[in-house]
Amino acid sequence: MEDEVDRLVAAWRRERPDLDVEPLEVLSRVSRLARHLDRARRLAFSEHGLEPWEFDVLTALRRAGTPYQLSPGQLLTQTLVTSGTMTNRIDRLAKKSLVERLPDPSDRRGVLVRLTDEGRDRADQALAGLLDQERAILAELTRAQRGELAGLLRQLTAPFDNIPG
């Protein structure tokens, strides 16, 4: 079965036989898959009235476990955005009653961000929708192939995920 990347690689091999275009065979497919995944994610989230960034914040809180709360600094670490961006996001989610701010009992000047019941329900529903979309994307692979692919991708991404800073 031929795909768009096969055609792209063949064209580059014809036009630039002096270059080794083998990396395109893997990474162009990863890039194309990322675009398809982004579309699937946006669809899953929009069906539950969420933007991707809202899903990221809500699910960071959901994964924290009961009582589903984190400090803004912990949310920054998990979502990789700036402090100003996180403040704006928390404000917007609070206006939608998906999170609430509470005083931090261990720091009089600090606050905690807690998921509301509605926020938890929306996060749970959006996650279920996302997993349905992702299962459909992976449907052509066997369980063993999915495991092998996950391992290979982990090998590629781990060095980036473990860079200090």
Side-chain angles (χ1 to χ4, degrees):
M1 175 183 342
E2 187 176 71
D3 67 0
E4 186 61 29
V5 174
D6 289 322
R7 291 182 283 278
L8 178 142
V9 167
W12 278 123
R13 284 190 172 134
R14 182 187 68 241
E15 296 299 317
R16 290 296 310 269
D18 58 309
L19 294 178
D20 175 10
V21 295
E22 183 183 21
L24 295 175
E25 294 189 69
V26 173
L27 299 177
S28 290
R29 285 186 175 96
V30 169
S31 177
R32 292 176 65 79
L33 182 58
R35 287 195 295 272
H36 290 295
L37 180 57
D38 186 55
R39 285 187 198 126
R41 291 172 65 89
R42 288 182 182 282
L43 176 63
F45 304 152
S46 69
E47 288 175 351
H48 301 284
L50 295 175
E51 294 292 328
W53 67 265
E54 291 172 312
F55 178 82
D56 290 345
V57 175
L58 296 178
T59 56
L61 292 165
R62 180 67 169 98
R63 288 189 312 269
T66 305
Y68 311 115
Q69 66 186 26
L70 295 169
S71 71
Q74 290 169 310
L75 283 170
L76 287 173
T77 300
Q78 291 194 27
T79 60
L80 302 174
V81 298
T82 65
S83 176
T85 297
M86 183 53 66
T87 298
N88 181 276
R89 289 179 176 187
I90 293 168
D91 289 345
R92 291 170 66 186
L93 289 167
K95 283 182 185 174
K96 293 173 90 171
S97 300
L98 299 176
V99 302
E100 59 186 348
R101 283 187 174 91
L102 303 169
D104 184 344
S106 64
D107 178 359
R108 288 192 336 219
R109 295 176 295 158
V111 298
L112 294 173
V113 180
R114 180 182 292 167
L115 199 55
T116 64
D117 289 342
E118 182 182 350
R120 188 185 70 226
D121 290 345
R122 298 260 294 276
D124 286 350
Q125 291 168 6
L127 177 62
L130 172 62
L131 292 171
D132 288 343
Q133 294 284 333
E134 290 182 350
R135 271 188 211 88
I137 288 172
L138 295 171
E140 296 297 316
L141 301 178
T142 66
R143 180 178 295 275
Q145 288 171 324
R146 290 190 306 266
E148 183 180 1
L149 180 58
L152 291 169
L153 291 171
R154 181 182 306 108
Q155 193 172 346
L156 284 177
T157 60
F160 295 103
D161 291 344
N162 294 308
I163 295 173

